[in-house]
Amino acid sequence: MSTEEKSKLQQISQASLYSAGVMPAAISYCFRILQRHLQGDSLLEMGPAEGVMTELLATTGKAMTIVEGSALFCDSLRQRFPAATVVHALFEEFQPTQRFDTIILGHVLEHVQDPVDILARTRQWLKPGGRIFAAVPNARSVHRQAATIMGLLPQEDALNEMDRHHGHRRVFNPESFRAAFSQAGLRVDVFGGYWLKPVSNGQIESHWTPAMIEAFMQMGERYPDIAGEIYVVASLPPV
């Protein structure tokens, strides 16, 4: 399983689009939300891909550990972030020697084979009082609802062309996303969203101004259930 999964990740990394188009703006806005919930002095970033979020995390001055399944991405990350500890491993193989104040899973759980298993593992890597921050695309996003009505998607949580390109295995809705944390024995402290997204990335990139993108990023926080991206801040339950 490990060899097959690493081969798949390597293939995806050779044509990754997470740093293309409007995505850096979305990741930057996600970081602005994440900053509200950063804890302590140490952080673990899981699956950073090209490292768009990593560049922003590096400005926090916190001790940073990165675990990434693609050797291609790891080589680049080591060169760009020499102060970080970069581990080339699948999440299922990762065995950290320390616990972390903040664990970040930015667009990770839609990729993995078993999201609950991965969250249960991160639970063991979290310091008492620490937080897990995770963000994923939202199946109930306005643009997915419209695509379903138009017959472009058979259902809101169906994989579209971009999902398949990125190697996504699922599209969470707000209920299934929160449920994964509960099933892993974590407490959901905050649920939210960002980027109210009425049309596709391509349409946004062709016609929207930066001011429009910023406005719709903010509007997504007002309407998380139908935002393009949703996030959870979770912690260890009380003993």
Side-chain angles (χ1 to χ4, degrees):
M1 187 276 286
S2 296
T3 302
E4 180 182 348
E5 194 72 3
K6 284 182 178 176
S7 176
K8 177 183 176 183
L9 289 171
Q10 192 73 356
Q11 183 178 5
I12 292 168
S13 68
Q14 291 171 350
S16 180
L17 295 176
Y18 275 120
S19 62
V22 73
M23 288 308 300
I27 294 170
S28 178
Y29 196 88
C30 183
F31 175 72
R32 285 159 59 181
I33 295 172
L34 167 60
Q35 281 185 298
R36 306 168 194 166
H37 305 286
L38 282 175
Q39 294 284 103
D41 299 319
S42 62
L43 64 84
L44 169 66
E45 185 184 16
M46 300 175 64
E50 294 100 324
V52 179
M53 176 68 83
T54 315
E55 287 187 5
L56 302 169
L57 292 170
T59 67
T60 66
K62 297 183 184 299
M64 189 160 58
T65 299
I66 300 166
V67 57
E68 168 60 52
S70 162
L72 182 67
F73 284 148
C74 281
D75 290 342
S76 173
L77 292 163
R78 288 191 185 101
Q79 292 177 9
R80 290 164 56 205
F81 307 104
T85 300
V86 179
V87 180
H88 177 215
L90 299 178
F91 304 140
E92 295 87 349
E93 301 170 338
F94 183 52
Q95 295 183 333
T97 57
Q98 65 177 101
R99 294 191 178 192
F100 303 93
D101 295 301
T102 305
I103 299 177
I104 300 154
L105 301 96
H107 285 247
V108 162
L109 294 174
E110 66 269 33
H111 289 266
V112 299
Q113 292 182 330
D114 187 341
V116 174
D117 174 67
I118 298 303
L119 287 171
R121 292 172 187 271
T122 64
R123 184 176 183 269
Q124 305 303 314
W125 308 334
L126 196 65
K127 286 183 181 178
R131 289 175 174 171
I132 295 170
F133 178 93
V136 297
N138 182 13
R140 204 164 292 143
S141 173
V142 172
H143 82 290
R144 282 184 171 271
Q145 293 191 51
T148 303
I149 292 170
M150 294 166 65
L152 300 176
L153 284 177
Q155 58 196 48
E156 292 169 6
D157 63 355
L159 297 177
N160 61 28
E161 182 180 350
M162 192 58 70
D163 289 318
R164 289 188 288 270
H165 178 91
H166 286 313
H168 295 175
R169 286 186 161 102
R170 67 193 59 79
V171 189
F172 289 96
N173 61 39
E175 293 78 24
S176 63
F177 189 41
R178 290 192 294 262
F181 289 84
S182 298
Q183 291 165 22
L186 289 159
R187 181 179 67 187
V188 174
D189 297 318
V190 181
F191 167 78
Y194 58 98
W195 194 6
L196 193 65
K197 185 179 176 184
V199 293
S200 69
N201 284 16
Q203 290 167 307
I204 290 170
E205 290 157 7
S206 297
H207 301 292
W208 286 27
T209 65
M212 291 172 66
I213 293 171
E214 171 65 21
F216 277 81
M217 290 289 173
Q218 292 187 30
M219 286 174 63
E221 294 206 58
R222 300 181 185 183
Y223 308 102
D225 280 356
I226 58 170
E229 312 283 333
I230 48 179
Y231 68 89
V232 155
V233 180
S235 62
L236 300 173
V239 177

